[in-house]
Amino acid sequence: MALIRLKNVQYIYLEKTPLEREAIKDISLDIREGESIGIIGKTGSGKSTLIQLISGLLYPTQGEIFIKDRDIRKWNSKELCKIIGIVFQYPEHQFFAETVFEEVAFGPRNIGISDEKLENCVREALITVGLPYEEIKDRSPFNLSGGEKRRLAIASILAMNPEVLILDEPTANIDPKGKIEIMNYINRWVQSKNKTLILVSHDLDEIIKTVKRVIVLKEGKIIFDGLIEKLFLNYEKVEEAELELPEILKLRKVLEDKGYPLEGAFTLHEIVERIVAFKEHISIWKS
Ligand code: ADP
Ligand code: MG
């Protein structure tokens, strides 16, 4: 059984107005429990629209979406929140509570967690993203640093313990060290709890380190859906999607152009091994 299934989904913003815009065009896909999936594509390709459809925040203008074999329109929103948690792009723009504690507690309370369990739940969520509970719980969310705000926003979704975690550009506008930290916290949570992850990003370096399967969007359509290694065997696809090649592949391309046989090498380690093997092969052949 697919956890999430999209069948010929279309989404048109402002349908039947002069401003109508078809953001998602005939997308079908299955997502299984425990998968980690990247959704990539340049700005405007439909990434945010697609994940809002998957989360039930928008309903398709055509086609169907099933969550656990049940039409998404038939789920009530509280039940759906227990299955799918979505962290929006720049989530800190939506803070509203006076304290960090209240910010995190809002979601779990809303889905009916008991008062006895609430404090533990908030504590655990904050610790999961590296925020010290006692020191931070009474502070105002608005006075935290940029990286802390982002982690708090992620904690407030983790606190609901969803089966599927969807993140829309979770490290946008965060410094490089902060980016790595945030992705580490997310990965640890996903792996230790066997969750399903859907990560939207235009940063291929980040995607490459996090997911196995990748979906590439262009103008509202899927132009690639498969293993990330397969995508990167194929520079043309990456170019077609108008994405920046990951640093590692830029390096591989330069070396391939110089004649090293590196097809399929995917990590720095593999590239080095291939070059060493190639040089040894050449020297044996020469001698
Ligand atoms: P991405 O997240 O990949 O940048 P979006 O899903 O935000 O892409 O947008 C896909 C398309 O839908 C774009 O052309 C965008 O301008 C349009 N769009 C997004 N949100 C709205 C909206 N609220 N009203 C009208 N058009 C929208
Ligand atoms: Mg977006």
Side-chain angles (χ1 to χ4, degrees):
M1 177 182 83
L3 183 55
I4 298 169
R5 168 164 291 169
L6 278 71
K7 271 172 80 178
N8 306 103
V9 169
Q10 177 209 50
Y11 188 79
I12 302 180
Y13 284 103
L14 305 166
E15 199 176 10
K16 303 193 179 86
T17 77
L19 295 173
E20 83 170 15
R21 169 136 211 136
E22 190 178 7
I24 294 294
K25 299 171 186 162
D26 195 24
I27 284 189
S28 296
L29 71 103
D30 275 5
I31 296 174
R32 286 175 302 278
E33 202 182 325
E35 278 196 285
S36 62
I37 298 181
I39 298 181
I40 60 181
K42 69 169 194 171
T43 304
S45 59
K47 304 181 298 296
S48 296
T49 307
L50 180 61
I51 56 172
Q52 288 179 73
L53 287 161
I54 292 173
S55 313
L57 299 167
L58 300 172
Y59 287 147
T61 46
Q62 271 188 41
E64 293 161 298
I65 299 179
F66 298 93
I67 307 293
K68 300 193 176 183
D69 282 345
R70 180 171 176 204
D71 192 307
I72 196 159
R73 293 165 186 266
K74 298 204 172 121
W75 285 92
N76 83 43
S77 60
K78 280 187 186 169
E79 290 305 314
L80 202 53
C81 278
K82 291 183 194 165
I83 302 177
I84 297 175
I86 179 167
V87 180
F88 293 104
Q89 198 164 2
Y90 303 119
E92 56 277 10
H93 294 172
Q94 294 174 27
F95 285 163
F96 61 92
E98 285 184 15
T99 65
V100 166
F101 184 92
E102 287 303 318
E103 190 65 52
V104 179
F106 180 80
R109 241 189 225 129
N110 224 3
I111 57 172
I113 197 173
S114 66
D115 285 346
E116 308 90 79
K117 288 194 182 146
L118 186 63
E119 189 181 339
N120 242 334
C121 167
V122 173
R123 180 188 289 113
E124 213 183 283
L126 287 169
I127 291 172
T128 302
V129 297
L131 295 173
Y133 176 75
E134 291 298 338
E135 285 153 51
I136 209 165
K137 68 179 177 32
D138 299 321
R139 288 179 60 190
S140 163
F142 299 96
N143 296 337
L144 304 177
S145 74
E148 286 169 340
K149 280 184 181 162
R150 191 63 58 82
R151 285 186 277 149
L152 169 58
I154 294 168
S156 63
I157 298 301
L158 299 188
M160 288 189 281
N161 197 27
E163 292 174 38
V164 183
L165 178 64
I166 304 181
L167 300 145
D168 197 351
E169 306 269 5
T171 64
N173 277 11
I174 300 285
D175 62 279
K177 185 164 163 274
K179 276 184 200 242
I180 292 171
E181 276 175 16
I182 288 175
M183 288 315 301
N184 283 345
Y185 290 125
I186 291 169
N187 276 327
R188 229 173 282 154
W189 184 83
V190 167
Q191 275 159 21
S192 67
K193 299 193 167 224
N194 259 326
K195 302 287 188 179
T196 306
L197 175 71
I198 301 177
L199 172 65
V200 172
S201 178
H202 61 255
D203 180 344
L204 290 187
D205 284 300
E206 188 166 287
I207 289 277
I208 222 171
K209 286 185 206 140
T210 314
V211 307
K212 291 207 171 68
R213 172 180 169 194
V214 68
I215 291 169
V216 184
L217 291 183
K218 184 177 185 184
E219 293 162 8
K221 288 195 212 114
I222 294 181
I223 60 167
F224 178 91
D225 177 358
L227 290 177
I228 193 160
E229 293 98 305
K230 289 252 167 70
L231 174 66
F232 292 132
L233 284 175
N234 192 330
Y235 297 116
E236 290 78 26
K237 264 295 173 229
V238 179
E239 267 158 30
E240 185 190 338
E242 297 170 61
L243 291 163
E244 174 93 352
L245 273 180
E247 292 301 322
I248 189 77
L249 291 195
K250 284 188 199 158
L251 172 71
R252 187 176 92 188
K253 197 164 193 300
V254 170
L255 291 166
E256 276 185 326
D257 291 345
K258 287 192 186 297
Y260 289 102
L262 294 174
E263 200 186 286
F266 197 57
T267 62
L268 192 54
H269 184 75
E270 283 165 4
I271 288 176
V272 172
E273 298 246 290
R274 294 279 190 93
I275 291 175
V276 170
F278 181 68
K279 292 227 155 179
E280 276 169 6
H281 176 77
I282 293 286
S283 59
I284 290 167
W285 183 74
K286 275 189 186 152
S287 59

